[in-house]
Amino acid sequence: MSHPSDPRAKLPDAPPADNERLKGESHYLEGSISNDLVDGLSGGFRGDNFQLIRFHGMYEQDDRDIRAERVAQKLEPLKNVMLRCRLPGGIIQPKQWLGIDQFAGAQTLYGSIRLTNRQTFQFHGVLKDHIKPMHQWLNELGLDSIATAGDVNRNVLCTSNPVESSLHREAYEWAKKISEHLLPKTLAYAEIWLDGEKLHSTEQFAEAAPLKESVKSGDATEPVLGKNYLPRKFKTTVVIPPHNDVDLHANDLNFVAIEEHGRLAGFNVLVGGGLSMEHGNHATYPNTAREFGFIGLDKVLDCAAAVVSVQRDWGDRSNRKAAKTRYTLERVGTKTFIEEVENRMGAEFQPIRPYQFTSRGDRIGWVQGEDGRWHLTLFIENGRILDYPGRALKTGMREIAQVHQGDFRLTANQNLIVANVPEAQKAKSSKSPAPTASSAMPFPRNVKTRWPACPTPPAPWPWPKPSAFCRNLPTKSMPCLPNTALQKNTSCCASPAAPTAAAAPCWPKSAWWAKRWGVTTCTPAATAKAPAFRACFKKTSPKQKSCRFSTAGLPIGRHTAKPAKASAIFPCAQAL
């Protein structure tokens, strides 16, 4: 382990952010959350606990629709939490699905199951009295929500590849191992929510993956993450070429599977991706992941711990907007970062093995795997599974889960795969209300609206729920776009309603940024291989029938280019 004052880190001489105090004083994420749970005077969490519950996979929110009414009545907003489950690789069993379906219907305000772009699901609208039973219910299903938010390694993604079944099985197992290896080791989650019962998954891998001394933090309780955990959130993927559905360039640490003779030989390692940015702040910017080299399977966990430990020690803890791995890489230099990772994992990277990405979207509909089994990918609008008039999506998924002999796979595009369907069961699965509801979606199935888990929209915002207003935004906007390949390519639409662009609008092939009332910005951006800002379309009013277009080239990197002439926009769109 290198000392935090290592001159190679080039850390600024500035006091740490308040989040560092919060984490350091939290007694390993325990805080006083247990006291708040029995506080009947508020439906929420007080002080530092408001932030600490994020490390346990929850965000406190409130019902915006009745916020003004409750304020007028001198009442506290109707506070509730959103919970995000930890689900490495996005695979869930039918029995588990039936369990989360039952809880969503009986114990949440909205009754919905939300699929996220990190291959997991969320409960929305859980009142305080139901929070602890929710965690215990998940534990009975073999699930948990630890480390799905906060300054830790988040849910590990894995390509939802139902075709190359054998390679996916190997890659998926590594996604689970990496997730367990980088989990917080504190017992706070078990003590608060499970009355001290340990998580089976954490025990399972504790002995199988010993840590090298070179990556240890010096803290006995948290040997990988340290007492103050990471400077900012950290995201990891396992990717199987040529399908880049998880988008490695949107993540801090990426393992690209390399196949040799039908077996997984190892991984190319790419580090430092990230596509979030703050509107108007040019010190924040998206960037693509950088190639470090190839490693064999025997070094995967060592490499993961080494990269995380370097970011732990060298990340900027004074400025959270500059604390992510991509900013650390730029500050210290890629070569220096690689050398330190190699030193800590006890091996050198081999040259990058050849790989190629040709697609990013999900393959909607039926596909057959190499093992002869069938896989049905359902388009889920906004990732929201709920029954709608004429579209019994939630009921249909429940009916499939009751008879399905395979598993479900949640994709990074917020869709769902009914995987490993035997030939004899295929016809029965097709007749369920879920596939019917999915195919009857009111706008093109290659477009999706994504919203960040932000409790409040930017001001001034005239709609109580921006996602409700913009649910059909892609369909309404398509006539405004030029008749080019932009309309034909598989794409996703991110419509962030937060000033930090938490929905990563640089990630999809086209994105609508709801920046403020009167201005909606569209960026046709990414390719199958990598994201890249190309141009901006501006719409002067959300309700105008015609659109006024302008360009603002925003190349990936530190600087922002000056706006170009409007005549340059159509070649950019055609280039997609």
Side-chain angles (χ1 to χ4, degrees):
M1 168 185 170
S2 64
H3 194 273
S5 62
D6 189 330
R8 294 175 298 166
K10 300 179 182 179
L11 289 169
D13 184 14
D18 187 60
N19 290 71
E20 297 304 313
R21 174 206 60 78
L22 181 152
K23 291 180 287 186
E25 296 177 357
S26 71
H27 191 57
Y28 299 103
L29 309 181
E30 185 175 357
S32 56
I33 294 175
S34 296
N35 294 336
D36 279 359
L37 283 175
V38 296
D39 180 4
L41 297 179
S42 173
F45 293 84
R46 304 178 186 275
D48 290 350
N49 295 332
F50 179 85
Q51 295 277 351
L52 284 179
I53 63 171
R54 298 183 180 185
F55 289 83
H56 299 258
M58 296 176 292
Y59 287 83
E60 182 179 309
Q61 302 176 334
D62 74 273
D63 191 333
R64 291 196 294 262
D65 286 348
I66 59 174
R67 182 186 297 164
E69 177 185 344
R70 291 181 69 88
V71 169
Q73 296 174 354
K74 310 299 183 184
L75 297 174
E76 179 185 68
L78 184 58
K79 295 182 178 180
N80 56 81
V81 301
M82 175 274 285
L83 175 134
R84 181 182 299 144
C85 184
R86 185 174 68 93
L87 202 65
I91 292 184
I92 187 168
Q93 301 303 316
K95 182 179 179 180
Q96 294 173 321
W97 184 271
L98 291 173
I100 66 172
D101 176 275
Q102 181 180 344
F103 184 89
Q107 305 294 343
T108 71
L109 295 177
Y110 311 113
S112 63
I113 300 170
R114 302 282 190 92
L115 310 186
T116 81
N117 62 354
R118 292 214 67 78
Q119 288 187 301
T120 186
F121 66 87
Q122 295 176 174
F123 290 134
H124 285 250
V126 182
L127 299 177
K128 184 191 282 187
D129 289 345
H130 299 152
I131 294 177
K132 189 168 183 176
M134 169 179 60
H135 286 281
Q136 294 175 343
W137 183 257
L138 288 175
N139 186 57
E140 291 179 7
L141 296 173
L143 303 171
D144 62 73
S145 66
I146 189 171
T148 55
D151 299 341
V152 289
N153 181 62
R154 304 284 185 93
N155 194 54
V156 178
L157 306 188
C158 181
T159 298
S160 303
N161 190 336
V163 177
E164 296 168 321
S165 306
S166 59
L167 187 61
H168 178 271
R169 279 194 294 271
E170 291 185 85
Y172 169 67
E173 289 301 322
W174 279 111
K176 290 198 298 181
K177 291 178 182 179
I178 294 168
S179 176
E180 301 292 345
H181 196 55
L182 302 179
L183 272 184
K185 300 304 185 284
T186 174
L187 298 179
Y189 182 92
E191 290 172 352
I192 295 172
W193 310 113
L194 309 178
D195 297 325
E197 180 181 343
K198 289 186 178 181
L199 300 177
H200 171 71
S201 58
T202 303
E203 291 180 317
Q204 180 180 351
F205 289 95
E207 298 298 329
L211 282 175
K212 287 183 173 292
E213 290 296 325
S214 55
V215 304
K216 290 185 178 179
S217 66
D219 185 273
T221 302
E222 292 290 6
V224 179
L225 302 176
K227 183 178 180 181
N228 276 38
Y229 298 88
L230 300 182
R232 282 286 266 131
K233 60 186 175 183
F234 192 93
K235 298 180 178 180
T236 305
T237 73
V238 177
V239 194
I240 306 175
H243 200 45
N244 187 24
D245 58 335
V246 300
D247 195 356
L248 59 87
H249 292 294
N251 294 273
D252 297 85
L253 174 59
N254 307 275
F255 294 92
V256 180
I258 301 299
E259 178 188 7
E260 292 181 359
H261 309 296
R263 300 288 296 178
L264 182 63
F267 295 95
N268 287 335
V269 179
L270 286 81
V271 177
L275 302 178
S276 61
M277 58 183 291
E278 183 179 21
H279 295 308
N281 183 356
H282 294 167
T284 66
Y285 50 87
N287 213 338
T288 54
R290 307 179 191 187
E291 294 179 342
F292 274 29
F294 174 85
I295 58 170
L297 298 179
D298 60 324
K299 289 296 179 182
V300 173
L301 298 183
D302 289 340
C303 178
V307 173
V308 167
S309 70
V310 174
Q311 169 61 5
R312 177 197 69 208
D313 297 338
W314 289 7
D316 188 349
R317 294 181 182 267
S318 64
N319 179 8
R320 289 182 63 79
K321 294 179 182 178
K324 293 183 179 179
T325 311
R326 64 181 184 271
Y327 301 118
T328 304
L329 264 173
E330 181 162 323
R331 188 179 69 250
V332 307
T334 303
K335 182 179 179 181
T336 301
F337 200 106
I338 291 176
E339 289 174 350
E340 183 62 14
V341 171
E342 290 178 331
N343 178 55
R344 296 191 186 198
M345 75 172 175
E348 293 185 358
F349 287 106
Q350 301 175 34
I352 285 286
R353 303 284 177 91
Y355 67 100
Q356 183 181 20
F357 293 121
T358 59
S359 64
R360 286 185 52 214
D362 293 335
R363 291 165 283 196
I364 304 297
W366 286 102
V367 295
Q368 190 172 24
E370 62 183 14
D371 58 356
R373 288 182 169 251
W374 289 90
H375 312 273
L376 173 64
T377 302
L378 302 177
F379 173 81
I380 309 297
E381 182 181 10
N382 297 320
R384 186 193 313 237
I385 295 183
L386 192 64
D387 286 343
Y388 299 95
R391 293 192 286 124
L393 187 59
K394 190 164 181 279
T395 298
M397 284 306 307
R398 186 187 312 121
E399 291 182 3
I400 290 178
Q402 289 170 347
V403 299
H404 185 36
Q405 300 171 11
D407 54 58
F408 297 132
R409 299 179 187 180
L410 313 186
T411 80
N413 292 313
Q414 296 175 276
N415 295 321
L416 186 146
I417 301 174
V418 182
N420 290 308
V421 179
E423 180 74 38
Q425 198 182 23
K426 180 186 174 186
K428 188 173 183 179
S429 298
S430 299
K431 295 178 181 179
S432 166
T436 303
S438 174
S439 62
M441 289 299 174
F443 60 85
R445 293 194 291 173
N446 63 334
V447 183
K448 183 179 294 293
T449 305
R450 292 169 50 227
W451 288 89
C454 180
T456 56
W461 196 266
W463 313 293
K465 291 186 177 180
S467 57
F469 179 86
C470 296
R471 189 169 297 152
N472 294 320
L473 176 62
T475 301
K476 296 175 181 177
S477 302
M478 278 297 172
C480 300
L481 297 176
N483 185 22
T484 66
L486 178 63
Q487 294 180 339
K488 302 174 184 178
N489 284 342
T490 300
S491 59
C492 298
C493 170
S495 304
T500 55
C506 317
W507 175 80
K509 285 192 174 181
S510 60
W512 282 261
W513 297 13
K515 295 176 67 175
R516 65 180 184 273
W517 171 248
V519 177
T520 302
T521 304
C522 170
T523 59
T527 67
K529 296 181 180 180
F533 274 117
R534 296 272 177 86
C536 287
F537 302 86
K538 279 190 178 180
K539 186 174 181 180
T540 55
S541 169
K543 293 187 177 180
Q544 284 187 351
K545 293 183 179 180
S546 61
C547 298
R548 178 171 62 85
F549 299 99
S550 64
T551 63
L554 298 173
I556 290 176
R558 176 177 292 277
H559 303 291
T560 300
K562 294 181 180 180
K565 293 181 180 180
S567 59
I569 195 165
F570 296 106
C572 290
Q574 291 169 350
L576 293 175

